[in-house]
Amino acid sequence: MASSVSREKLMFYAVAGGLGGFGAWGAAEPFLGIRSVYGRDILLGALIGLFIAVFLASIEALSVDQWRQAMRGTSSGAIFGAIGGAAGLLVGEYAFDIVGGTLGRITGWTLLGLVVGLGAGWATRSNARRRNGAIGGVIGGALGGFIYQILTTIFPQEFGRAIAIIVLGMLIGFFIGLVGELLKRGWLMVVRSQSRNAREGREYPLIKPVTIIGRAEESDVGLFGDDSVMPQHALIRREGRNFIVSPAAGGQVTVNRQPLAGRQVLKSGDRIEVGGTLFLFRDRAQATSG
């Protein structure tokens, strides 16, 4: 696996998806005695999609105390997840009747994964995250559908379903994280920080046209608890193939220990200091060509 891929982030997303799957199984199991096959699938799919999408859309924001963004993630994840999950299992049931078990499961869970991935990325207002979520969700959903069919065939129905739903959530989360890591172009890595949330080694992908660094909760790179950081302290713009950093609202920024007065094009390996936090900038294209 490429050195630029954060294994921590992959584990983070996989665990979040697995927790969503566990919650979905716990919420759905009491209602699975419904006699109507299609009614049962709609309910099960809606709960699976809702829980997995909510966890994936909000867990990263919650981990750094970005409560408003977490609430946006929860609402968008719930809507997308419930609709996509219900539609996915309904389509899967029809496909199950037409083409048989394994392909039917794969079809249904692929649709569920697609919409869950979109829901996980929607709250960030980033097209890149929506793309990453959709691609990762499709891969994770398809593989999860295949494993779901195997596990529910091998094990007793209730136990097999529980394990399969948890594995499904983990796979969707893992592949959403993996696609995001593989397709990221530039990112900041924390070298040291006085902020309570920007721990050493944490990475922030620069996936928006403009990335805001600051103390405000709405910041893309939030540096909370550091009074030397302004609510909106610095901006990093993506212009063509370049990433350009500049101060915002009078914030003081240094690049390679030199105070920054205006805009500066970043090079891979540049060290950016904002308040009590030192970042290392990485650009995949520059690193590859170098």
Side-chain angles (χ1 to χ4, degrees):
M1 191 173 292
S3 60
S4 60
V5 172
S6 169
R7 292 172 175 82
E8 180 185 13
K9 182 159 288 188
L10 299 186
M11 180 65 70
F12 188 82
Y13 273 92
V15 170
L19 289 172
F22 179 77
W25 167 76
E29 199 63 30
F31 300 100
L32 294 183
I34 297 174
R35 292 185 178 181
S36 169
V37 174
Y38 293 111
R40 184 173 64 242
D41 284 344
I42 290 173
L43 177 61
L44 177 62
L47 288 173
I48 292 174
L50 185 152
F51 273 85
I52 294 176
V54 163
F55 268 80
L56 290 175
S58 63
I59 194 71
E60 190 167 358
L62 286 174
S63 71
V64 292
D65 297 332
Q66 290 180 306
W67 298 101
R68 292 179 186 174
Q69 185 168 322
M71 289 303 298
R72 287 200 302 268
T74 298
S75 59
S76 68
I79 294 170
F80 276 84
I83 294 174
L89 257 66
L90 191 59
V91 169
E93 192 63 46
Y94 280 113
F96 187 91
D97 293 337
I98 296 172
V99 298
T102 302
L103 186 55
R105 294 294 186 207
I106 292 174
T107 301
W109 292 121
T110 298
L111 177 58
L112 181 146
L114 168 65
V115 185
V116 164
L118 285 172
W122 203 267
T124 63
R125 300 170 183 173
S126 164
N127 290 330
R129 282 194 184 273
R130 293 167 190 160
R131 175 204 63 199
N132 298 343
I135 296 173
V138 164
I139 298 171
L143 185 56
F146 177 72
I147 294 176
Y148 186 101
Q149 180 66 16
I150 294 175
L151 290 176
T152 52
T153 301
I154 295 175
F155 295 105
Q157 187 69 14
E158 183 175 335
F159 178 74
R161 182 167 53 240
I163 300 301
I165 293 173
I166 293 171
V167 170
L168 172 73
M170 292 182 67
L171 287 170
I172 291 175
F174 174 83
F175 280 102
I176 288 175
L178 180 61
V179 171
E181 287 295 293
L182 292 176
L183 295 183
K184 69 183 180 184
R185 161 69 190 282
W187 63 96
L188 299 175
M189 185 184 74
V190 178
V191 178
R192 56 172 168 78
S193 180
Q194 296 178 8
S195 171
R196 66 173 183 265
N197 62 296
R199 65 186 183 279
E200 181 180 342
R202 181 180 178 88
E203 294 182 357
Y204 294 91
L206 304 173
I207 57 177
K208 290 185 175 181
V210 179
T211 298
I212 301 173
I213 305 173
R215 199 176 72 244
E217 185 179 337
E218 296 78 10
S219 300
D220 302 301
V221 180
L223 301 176
F224 309 134
D226 185 348
D227 292 336
S228 64
V229 177
M230 302 182 69
Q232 291 191 1
H233 197 106
L235 305 175
I236 297 182
R237 291 180 170 85
R238 184 170 180 175
E239 298 181 2
R241 299 181 61 84
N242 293 324
F243 292 90
I244 300 172
V245 62
S246 61
Q252 295 183 349
V253 180
T254 66
V255 178
N256 300 326
R257 298 183 178 180
Q258 299 298 315
L260 186 63
R263 292 157 48 95
Q264 180 169 326
V265 176
L266 292 170
K267 297 179 181 179
S268 190
D270 281 347
R271 300 167 76 87
I272 306 165
E273 192 163 5
V274 177
T277 300
L278 177 65
F279 296 103
L280 180 66
F281 170 71
R282 290 297 189 191
D283 186 315
R284 187 191 302 275
Q286 292 180 13
T288 302
S289 62

